[in-house]
């Protein structure tokens, strides 16, 4: 593997020159997301890419994760309307994980212990904002258990129902078709469970190698925090946990690397370790509220969640890789044994990794926080780029 400097060298020419030369081609990106809403980390990360003049979003696919797929899709379609990005196609992906089930997880809990966040399956410590959107409680606050609904039920949306509709093509084939239409040019942005990407890989063996690589939010190494969600379970992270088999398939796929015939970025992973270093604050909300930008107004009104900026870091680092100040190159996989560690992150060094097809990833560990916050506010307060 080449060092981070080479990865940055591959990405920087586009990012550095896009504003100087408007005709410079933008980086092509496919978004796969669990778009719970309104507002929140899922929607804000998509908006960062949509607002960036250096990024061309080819489309969005929805996968169940923090909420059920159909509800997420309605929130995302409404976000596209309210922020003036109605030309972006949205396609419906997987409703359920490959193997893990809600019932199995419920039955296992008395034996292996509960987890902090169950996403669409409810039962995690949440609170309800004034918009009705579930949000995780800060450490130390009492737990209110979220009530969930069925996979195809869409409750009334606080932000109003969209008039936009998903495209007819399913998310898996949409991803495959777009990658084949733009061979060796598309970067996959995956910030939910990896079900859709794994299904695309299994459906089309060429899918991964025809991309520029993948950036994803997932995994946890050794986060330095007093947050009880991670102090006793430092290798637990929701996106990997919700569909462990899918995450393992994605991490083992042949994503293009800098040294390949068609160079790519490989696998870039935004871990819990770095996510805990950036929080969405009231000061950010106040700054957004002063802007007339449709994106800023949408977030000022609906992004009441005060929590870590999980997916926003992934998006910002795709736009500007130099925001990342520390990374660790490790072989990474996910525990798929159905026991207490099911879904936990596994890593190895060069010396100790197994000979079973595991791949090396770039695990992000730290960032330039002031520059990240500035980029976030700058992009959200400008007019739509698409």
């Amino acid at each position: 593997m080449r060092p981070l400097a080479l990865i940055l060298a591959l990405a920087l020419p586009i990012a550095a020159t896009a504003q100087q030369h408007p005709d410079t081609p933008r980086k092509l990106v496919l978004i796969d997301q669990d778009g719970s809403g309104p507002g929140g980390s899922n929607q804000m990360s998509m908006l960062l890419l949509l607002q960036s003049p250096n990024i061309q979003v080819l489309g969005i696919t929805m996968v169940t994760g923090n909420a059920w797929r159909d509800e997420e899709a309605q929130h995302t379609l409404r976000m596209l309307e309210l922020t003036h990005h109605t030309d972006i196609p949205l396609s419906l992906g997987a409703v359920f994980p490959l193997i893990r089930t809600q019932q199995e997880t419920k039955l296992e809990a008395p034996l292996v212990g509960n987890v902090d966040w169950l996403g669409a399956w409810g039962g995690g410590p949440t609170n309800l904002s004034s918009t009705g959107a579930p949000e995780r409680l800060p450490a130390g606050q009492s737990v209110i258990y979220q009530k969930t609904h069925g996979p195809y039920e869409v409750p009334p949306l606080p932000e109003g129902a969209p008039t936009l509709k998903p495209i007819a093509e399913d998310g898996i084939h949409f991803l495959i078709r777009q990658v084949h239409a733009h061979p060796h040019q598309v970067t996959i942005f995956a910030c939910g469970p990896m079900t859709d990407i794994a299904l695309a890989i299994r459906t089309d063996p060429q899918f991964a190698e025809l991309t520029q690589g993948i950036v994803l939010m997932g995994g946890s190494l050794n986060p330095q925090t007093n947050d009880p969600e991670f102090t006793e379970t430092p290798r637990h992270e929701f996106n990997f946990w919700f569909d462990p088999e899918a995450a393992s398939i994605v991490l083992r796929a042949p994503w293009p690397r800098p040294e390949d015939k068609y160079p790519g970025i490989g696998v870039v992973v935004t871990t819990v370790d770095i996510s805990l270093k950036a929080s969405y604050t009231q000061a950010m909300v106040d700054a957004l509220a002063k802007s007339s930008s449709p994106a800023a107004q949408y977030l000022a009104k609906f992004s009441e969640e005060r929590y870590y900026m999980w997916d926003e870091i992934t998006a910002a680092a795709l736009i500007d890789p130099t925001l990342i100040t520390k990374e660790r190159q490790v072989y990474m996989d996910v525990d798929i044994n159905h026991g207490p560690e099911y879904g936990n992150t596994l890593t190895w060094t060069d010396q100790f990794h197994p000979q079973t097809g595991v791949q090396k990833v770039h695990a992000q560990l730290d960032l330039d926080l002031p520059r990240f916050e500035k980029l976030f506010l700058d992009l959200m307060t400008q007019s739509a780029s698409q």
Side-chain angles (χ1 to χ4, degrees):
M1 287 293 293
R2 309 284 179 89
L4 177 60
L6 183 52
I7 297 289
L8 299 180
L10 289 169
L12 276 175
I14 293 178
T17 61
Q19 294 182 351
Q20 299 174 16
H21 304 285
D23 294 333
T24 301
R26 293 182 291 173
K27 185 179 298 185
L28 303 183
V29 174
L30 283 168
I31 296 175
D32 185 71
Q33 179 65 283
D34 54 341
S36 59
S41 183
N42 304 139
Q43 299 295 333
M44 289 196 288
S45 67
M46 290 187 282
L47 264 177
L48 274 174
L49 298 175
L50 292 166
Q51 292 283 113
S52 172
N54 302 324
I55 301 292
Q56 180 179 348
V57 176
L58 297 174
I60 300 170
T61 53
M62 282 287 109
V63 62
T64 291
N66 284 331
W68 290 108
R69 180 203 68 181
D70 288 1
E71 181 182 358
E72 295 170 343
Q74 292 297 294
H75 283 300
T76 303
L77 290 167
R78 185 58 174 153
M79 178 274 287
L80 294 174
E81 288 181 342
L82 293 173
T83 62
H84 301 180
H85 293 289
T86 54
D87 58 331
I88 305 298
L90 182 143
S91 183
L92 301 178
V95 178
F96 304 104
L98 298 182
I99 303 295
R100 184 190 283 281
T101 67
Q102 184 175 4
Q103 180 65 10
E104 177 192 26
T105 302
K106 180 179 179 180
L107 293 172
E108 284 181 341
L111 299 177
V112 303
N114 292 296
V115 299
D116 182 82
W117 179 247
L118 294 173
W121 295 340
T126 66
N127 199 355
L128 294 180
S129 70
S130 62
T131 66
E135 56 183 45
R136 301 192 198 186
L137 290 173
Q141 292 193 21
S142 59
V143 169
I144 302 172
Y145 284 95
Q146 176 191 2
K147 293 182 179 179
T148 187
H149 55 75
Y152 304 107
E153 177 186 350
V154 179
L157 305 186
E159 69 273 38
T163 58
L164 282 179
K165 305 294 182 185
I167 64 174
E169 185 178 24
D170 71 88
I172 313 313
H173 289 91
F174 176 78
L175 289 168
I176 293 170
R177 180 170 62 82
Q178 290 293 334
V179 166
H180 278 268
H182 308 279
H184 311 293
Q185 300 176 61
V186 178
T187 300
I188 306 298
F189 173 86
C191 281
M194 304 295 143
T195 317
D196 288 348
I197 310 304
L199 287 170
I201 292 167
R202 283 294 189 256
T203 302
D204 177 12
Q206 289 186 299
F207 176 78
E209 64 188 62
L210 282 176
T211 71
Q212 267 279 302
I214 186 170
V215 295
L216 61 91
M217 193 280 131
S220 184
L221 303 183
N222 185 30
Q224 303 302 299
T225 178
N226 59 3
D227 187 329
E229 183 176 356
F230 304 107
T231 51
E232 301 302 325
T233 55
R235 289 294 175 122
H236 173 86
E237 183 278 321
F238 173 77
N239 285 342
F240 283 8
W241 172 88
F242 195 77
D243 195 339
E245 286 78 12
S248 182
I249 289 170
V250 170
L251 290 170
R252 289 168 172 261
W255 303 99
R257 301 173 184 278
E259 65 269 22
D260 291 345
K261 179 181 178 182
Y262 298 101
I265 61 172
V267 182
V268 180
V269 181
T270 301
T271 64
V272 167
D273 306 59
I274 190 174
S275 298
L276 302 184
K277 297 177 183 290
S279 295
Y280 186 57
T281 66
Q282 185 60 47
M284 290 180 171
V285 179
D286 294 342
L288 293 169
K290 297 175 183 178
S291 171
S292 60
S293 158
Q297 286 299 304
Y298 166 80
L299 293 180
K301 186 173 183 179
F302 296 112
S303 59
E304 296 191 13
E305 178 179 335
R306 304 292 180 269
Y307 208 53
Y308 306 124
M309 301 183 79
W310 311 96
D311 301 354
E312 299 92 325
I313 294 175
T314 313
L318 175 56
I319 295 166
D320 182 1
T322 66
L323 292 174
I324 303 304
T325 60
K326 182 180 180 181
E327 71 157 24
R328 182 179 168 195
Q329 295 186 49
V330 292
Y331 289 88
M332 183 176 287
D333 203 355
V334 181
D335 192 332
I336 58 173
N337 294 301
H338 288 233
E341 308 303 315
Y342 183 38
N344 278 5
T345 308
L346 303 173
T347 57
W348 301 270
T349 62
D350 290 344
Q351 183 179 1
F352 297 110
H353 75 87
Q355 304 300 309
T356 57
V358 294
Q359 303 289 325
K360 187 174 281 189
V361 310
H362 292 264
Q364 299 169 345
L365 298 178
D366 206 351
L367 78 164
D368 187 327
L369 185 58
R371 286 183 57 219
F372 163 73
E373 292 176 344
K374 183 178 187 304
L375 181 143
F376 175 83
L377 292 174
D378 285 350
L379 288 180
M380 293 306 186
T381 55
Q382 71 179 17
S383 299
S385 65
Q386 296 181 331

